[in-house]
Amino acid sequence: MAAYSERIPVLVTVQEKALIARMAQEAHISMGEFLRRAASSFRPGEDEQMLEGLIDQMLKTTAQASRVIDDTLSFVEASNQRIASLESSRKE
């Protein structure tokens, strides 16, 4: 086992501490070991790339949906104008 000699003070909420403690206990390891393993497995670059990809896709999809909505509203407006024109010509 490695000889640990450095501390990293980390503030957490009461709920976060309870969750970490429970997860460590379920894994049958200390809270320190649990946090070391969690920290060593975290890869921010991969997470950020995935998140950026999701955001990019969301922006593309939102833009596409916005165009479809605009086209639909234009079609409805044109339809309403045609209906109003037909109704007014029947009344005359």
Side-chain angles (χ1 to χ4, degrees):
M1 184 164 148
Y4 299 112
S5 62
E6 299 292 322
R7 288 187 174 270
I8 302 174
V10 178
L11 296 176
V12 296
T13 66
V14 171
Q15 294 84 5
E16 289 169 332
K17 182 179 179 183
L19 176 62
I20 293 167
R22 189 184 84 239
M23 292 172 78
Q25 184 178 22
E26 288 172 359
H28 305 289
I29 56 177
S30 69
M31 285 178 40
E33 183 62 20
F34 179 83
L35 292 173
R36 280 189 291 279
R37 289 182 187 184
S40 68
S41 67
F42 180 70
R43 301 287 181 261
E46 293 171 9
D47 292 342
E48 288 174 12
Q49 287 175 351
M50 187 185 326
L51 184 57
E52 286 175 8
L54 290 171
I55 290 170
D56 186 47
Q57 186 61 42
M58 181 198 64
L59 292 173
K60 288 177 184 175
T61 304
T62 300
Q64 181 183 11
S66 191
R67 284 190 301 273
V68 170
I69 289 169
D70 289 343
D71 291 347
T72 303
L73 291 174
S74 295
F75 178 80
V76 169
E77 179 60 29
S79 293
N80 286 341
Q81 288 176 3
R82 285 191 302 273
I83 291 168
S85 176
L86 288 170
E87 288 177 346
S88 68
S89 67
R90 266 200 272 175
K91 291 180 183 178
E92 294 174 0

